[in-house]
Amino acid sequence: AILAEHSLFNLGISGQYPLVQNMTVTEGGTANMTCRVEYNDNTSLQWSNPAQQTLFFGDKKALRDNRIELVHASWSELTISISDVTLTDEGMYTCSLFTMPVRTAKAYLTVLGVPEKPEIDGLTKPAMEGDHITLTCMTHGSKPAADLRWFRNEKEIKGAKEVNASGKTFTVRSSLQLHVDRNDDGVAYTCRVDHVALTQTPQQATEVLEVHYAPRVQIIHSLAVPQEGQYLKLECVSKGNPSPDPVMWTKDGSELPDLDRMIVEGRELTFTSLNKTDNGTYRCEAGNHLGTSSAEYVLYVYDVPTTLPPSTTPPLPPILPDPTALLDTHASDPTVTGNRDPNALGQHGTDHALIGGVVAVVVFVTLCLIIVLGRYLARHKGTYLTNEAKGADDAPDADTAIINAEGNHAHAEEKKEYFI
């Protein structure tokens, strides 16, 4: 019995410790502070604030603060609520169990500072193409420091972040450098605040960038190959801000010559019926206060293609080969049978072509030889005398003629013939 009583006493001593939990609450919210005891021998519980001021002793309210209310009080539990929490309420709260000695437990109340809605500065309306601008997004009152994120039409882009402390809260700033071009016209830049206190919809601000830029012009034509009599439409597509209206059409540097067939409606130039006189260079020009742009289209009107009428003359009958000739041609060829090789005709055609080439070469070489021989004979044409003939004029007999011919040999130089 004594052992059992001692064990119960030890259980009572070990169970007489208050149990509490740390709390986190958003600024402006409500914090419920609960203190429990597993075993209590009718000992009172008490809650104190970070300044060690008693809030509740049991069910008795000790501090006059309308935001602090009793939720539940018993021997085993004391729960109080603090509404409309501010940053000054943050700190260490103490639950005391008045035993001998007094036992305490501490719970830390964390108050989250809600960031204010961000603001975007630095936007110039309108911005000019080529400008350098800096967009700055800023939010105040966050605790801990908030995170700022930039989006360009829902696509996240990176900015430069800066954090500054202001008492218990933080001021966060993020900058975005932009080199403005025409692609930024109408683009929405959004600065979004991410913070643990924003459990539902994040705070954000959006600005739409307006960019002014000089126009660019392009001509679109309805026909790839314009022909006489066809309908042609030229459209002057110009993009600029402010919008470059109206546009001006010219032909070869002058006004349009024929307004009856050339109709201008807004940005379109229409030819009701093309002809050769429409050939030329057409120019479309558009501008605004930032500049002027133009485009050209060279028009060449093609003739209408003509189709030959069908012939009324009946076609000539085909000329059939003479069967007797074919029979004579192949009668001497022992390889010709009723089942002829389908490639035989091609083989014979190839042989005939080769033989014809050889014959042509032989004829050409023969003609060349004849020409060379003729020129040789023509150059050596003349009268040639023997030694006997050279001395026969003054000699009575042949022997004397030979002697005279030898004597006259010294004068042979005078009788030489030259052929050119």
Side-chain angles (χ1 to χ4, degrees):
I2 296 175
L3 181 59
E5 184 178 354
H6 179 72
S7 299
L8 183 61
F9 175 78
N10 289 338
L11 179 61
I13 294 299
S14 61
Q16 286 186 297
Y17 285 93
L19 303 175
V20 296
Q21 288 184 336
N22 295 331
M23 293 292 297
T24 299
V25 64
T26 301
E27 185 179 13
T30 300
N32 290 325
M33 309 293 294
T34 300
C35 179
R36 292 188 177 89
V37 179
E38 294 181 0
Y39 173 76
N40 189 1
D41 54 354
N42 298 331
T43 304
S44 298
L45 293 172
Q46 172 186 291
W47 270 112
S48 302
N49 64 13
Q52 297 302 314
Q53 296 172 318
T54 301
L55 303 179
F56 270 89
F57 184 81
D59 57 357
K60 306 298 185 204
K61 186 175 184 180
L63 185 65
R64 291 183 179 181
D65 190 337
N66 295 331
R67 301 179 302 121
I68 303 175
E69 299 290 340
L70 178 65
V71 177
H72 179 73
S74 67
W75 295 112
S76 60
E77 178 182 330
L78 178 60
T79 300
I80 62 174
S81 67
I82 306 173
S83 60
D84 196 16
V85 174
T86 65
L87 294 176
T88 58
D89 294 324
E90 184 176 76
M92 192 74 73
Y93 286 75
T94 304
C95 176
S96 302
L97 176 63
F98 284 88
T99 58
M100 292 300 292
V102 177
R103 294 182 173 87
T104 60
K106 296 183 181 296
Y108 196 89
L109 176 62
T110 301
V111 180
L112 301 177
V114 181
E116 298 177 3
K117 184 176 181 179
E119 297 180 355
I120 297 178
D121 295 326
L123 186 63
T124 303
K125 290 189 177 182
M128 301 299 172
E129 185 176 26
D131 286 352
H132 291 270
I133 64 175
T134 301
L135 299 182
T136 302
C137 179
M138 184 182 300
T139 181
H140 304 275
S142 61
K143 178 182 173 296
D147 187 23
L148 295 180
R149 300 164 63 191
W150 284 100
F151 294 86
R152 183 183 188 273
N153 284 346
E154 303 302 325
K155 181 179 181 180
E156 187 169 2
I157 54 180
K158 189 174 181 58
K161 182 180 176 182
E162 180 183 347
V163 179
N164 294 312
S166 177
K168 291 187 176 183
T169 61
F170 297 89
T171 298
V172 184
R173 184 195 317 264
S174 181
S175 300
L176 190 63
Q177 303 286 338
L178 296 179
H179 182 202
V180 179
D181 62 21
R182 62 186 59 211
N183 295 326
D184 288 317
D185 185 38
V187 171
Y189 285 90
T190 301
C191 175
R192 181 181 301 173
V193 180
D194 283 350
H195 193 265
V196 64
L198 302 174
T199 57
Q200 297 179 353
T201 304
Q203 300 274 25
Q204 65 182 32
T206 301
E207 291 288 349
V208 178
L209 193 59
E210 180 184 358
V211 181
H212 282 189
Y213 53 93
R216 289 179 183 172
V217 176
Q218 178 185 9
I219 296 178
I220 299 177
H221 49 88
S222 61
L223 293 176
V225 183
Q227 299 175 359
E228 284 190 291
Q230 287 185 326
Y231 173 91
L232 173 65
K233 181 175 73 174
L234 301 180
E235 182 180 359
C236 182
V237 180
S238 58
K239 185 178 180 182
N241 192 16
S243 179
D245 288 324
V247 299
M248 183 175 66
W249 286 96
T250 58
K251 178 187 177 183
D252 297 330
S254 304
E255 295 182 356
L256 299 178
D258 190 352
L259 296 179
D260 292 333
R261 293 184 307 105
M262 302 178 185
I263 303 173
V264 178
E265 294 180 347
R267 301 173 181 271
E268 296 179 354
L269 172 60
T270 303
F271 299 81
T272 56
S273 179
L274 290 172
N275 59 46
K276 290 291 187 179
T277 62
D278 296 328
N279 291 343
T281 301
Y282 292 83
R283 181 184 181 93
C284 166
E285 185 174 297
N288 56 21
H289 69 281
L290 294 175
T292 302
S293 179
S294 63
E296 293 183 346
Y297 172 74
V298 178
L299 174 60
Y300 182 83
V301 180
Y302 291 86
D303 295 328
V304 178
T306 57
T307 305
L308 295 176
S311 176
T312 57
T313 305
L316 296 176
I319 300 176
L320 298 176
D322 187 359
T324 59
L326 293 176
L327 182 60
D328 294 341
T329 301
H330 297 286
S332 60
D333 189 354
T335 62
V336 176
T337 62
N339 297 327
R340 289 182 295 179
D341 183 4
N343 298 322
L345 183 60
Q347 295 171 353
H348 291 171
T350 305
D351 296 338
H352 293 166
L354 180 60
I355 294 173
V358 173
V359 171
V361 172
V362 172
V363 171
F364 176 78
V365 173
T366 302
L367 290 175
C368 292
L369 292 176
I370 291 173
I371 292 172
V372 171
L373 182 60
R375 287 180 59 84
Y376 178 83
L377 293 177
R379 294 183 62 179
H380 292 78
K381 182 179 179 181
T383 302
Y384 297 88
L385 300 177
T386 62
N387 290 332
E388 293 87 347
K390 292 179 182 179
D393 293 336
D394 300 328
D397 52 27
D399 295 333
T400 306
I402 293 173
I403 295 172
N404 291 338
E406 293 176 355
N408 294 331
H409 181 71
H411 303 284
E413 188 70 22
E414 299 176 359
K415 295 182 180 181
K416 289 183 178 179
E417 292 185 12
Y418 294 91
F419 298 93
I420 298 176

